[in-house]
Amino acid sequence: KNQVEQSPQSLIILEGKNCTLQCNYTVSPFSNLRWYKQDTGRGPVSLTIMTFSENTKSNGRYTATLDADTKQSSLHITASQLSDSASYICVVSDFTGGGNKLTFGTGTQLKVEL
Amino acid sequence: DAGVTQSPTHLIKTRGQQVTLRCSPKSGHDTVSWYQQALGQGPQFIFQYYEEEERQRGNFPDRFSGHQFPNYSSELNVNALLLGDSALYLCASSRRTSGRVVGNEQFFGPGTRLTVL
């Protein structure tokens, strides 16, 4: 069964600090890995998407890494801002059935405080 | 260019009733996927529509059905509602390439919050 596990479950940091979120997956056959940011009660918004041949991708203050051998990914947020408070979801895509089926992690709930 | 839109934004139903949720994909997208997200959980895949047919399905009962129209918009229907169906229902659209969605990003709508009393 395809699974995506994220850690920590929740995190509180001070504004301006950096943090790293972790994602481990067991999805096969692997297509790509995405990180989404989801504000409470809203739809997820894509931050990065990486295929197996990419091991790092940045989007502003967000940098994602991927190790396809160990099936691990991380999302690093630098110089955090209050607006970064949200749930960060790791999503892995596979080619099952010829389509693009996504397996979602349960997310890391990040709170940035003054 | 409008992104993915969903209607209604909120909905309250009682057990046993039926509900229809609607989704319009992002311009240029032809594939629509539906997800159920319970509070504090990640989204769970319900099914995906392409060329007006259900192409993939997650572990959801037949009470959950859908439809895709020629303009690529889609509906999610849930019959015989249960309390456990209360959730945020997300629609995501994407564009197929060469017969399958390859690395193409799924854009999510704002969701419909369904409450079953």
Side-chain angles (χ1 to χ4, degrees):
Chain A
K1 179 182 177 183
N2 289 341
Q3 286 188 312
V4 176
E5 296 182 350
Q6 293 186 242
S7 62
Q9 186 175 12
S10 62
L11 184 62
I12 301 175
I13 62 174
L14 295 177
E15 186 181 29
K17 298 297 185 182
N18 303 336
C19 67
T20 300
L21 314 180
Q22 301 292 341
C23 172
N24 297 329
Y25 62 91
T26 55
V27 174
S28 181
F30 176 85
S31 174
N32 56 67
L33 184 145
R34 312 147 190 243
W35 283 93
Y36 283 90
K37 177 185 178 185
Q38 185 176 24
D39 293 314
T40 301
R42 305 304 301 269
V45 175
S46 178
L47 296 175
T48 63
I49 179 171
M50 291 181 292
T51 63
F52 72 92
S53 61
E54 298 173 293
N55 53 27
T56 187
K57 184 162 283 189
S58 293
N59 178 3
R61 294 180 296 102
Y62 302 101
T63 299
T65 64
L66 173 65
D67 186 334
D69 292 331
T70 61
K71 299 186 177 181
Q72 296 179 325
S73 176
S74 66
L75 180 68
H76 187 72
I77 305 174
T78 59
S80 62
Q81 301 176 358
L82 296 178
S83 59
D84 292 333
S85 296
S87 178
Y88 290 84
I89 306 176
C90 175
V91 185
V92 182
S93 173
D94 66 73
F95 283 143
T96 302
N100 195 23
K101 183 179 174 183
L102 305 182
T103 302
F104 288 74
T106 55
T108 292
Q109 190 67 44
L110 174 65
K111 185 174 183 180
V112 181
E113 296 181 336
L114 290 172
Chain B
D1 173 32
V4 181
T5 60
Q6 292 186 243
S7 63
T9 55
H10 295 85
L11 201 54
I12 299 175
K13 292 285 188 178
T14 57
R15 281 180 297 176
Q17 285 190 309
Q18 178 266 344
V19 68
T20 297
L21 310 182
R22 295 176 177 81
C23 170
S24 291
K26 181 179 171 63
S27 178
H29 286 187
D30 55 11
T31 301
V32 174
S33 302
W34 286 92
Y35 297 86
Q36 180 195 67
Q37 186 177 24
L39 199 62
Q41 301 295 315
Q44 298 294 314
F45 175 73
I46 303 175
F47 43 52
Q48 183 180 81
Y49 276 84
Y50 170 66
E51 291 185 334
E52 302 179 45
E53 289 190 17
E54 182 182 297
R55 300 293 178 171
Q56 292 191 80
R57 190 178 183 93
N59 295 323
F60 280 80
D62 292 343
R63 298 187 297 110
F64 290 77
S65 63
H67 189 76
Q68 186 179 33
F69 299 94
N71 66 353
Y72 308 119
S73 66
S74 177
E75 288 183 348
L76 165 65
N77 301 292
V78 186
N79 296 322
L81 284 168
L82 304 174
L83 295 179
D85 295 332
S86 296
L88 179 68
Y89 287 84
L90 295 166
C91 167
S93 74
S94 54
R95 180 177 60 86
R96 266 182 188 246
T97 303
S98 300
R100 64 179 182 179
V101 181
V102 180
N104 287 341
E105 184 175 348
Q106 290 199 6
F107 288 81
F108 285 84
T112 293
R113 171 67 64 185
L114 172 64
T115 301
V116 182
L117 302 176

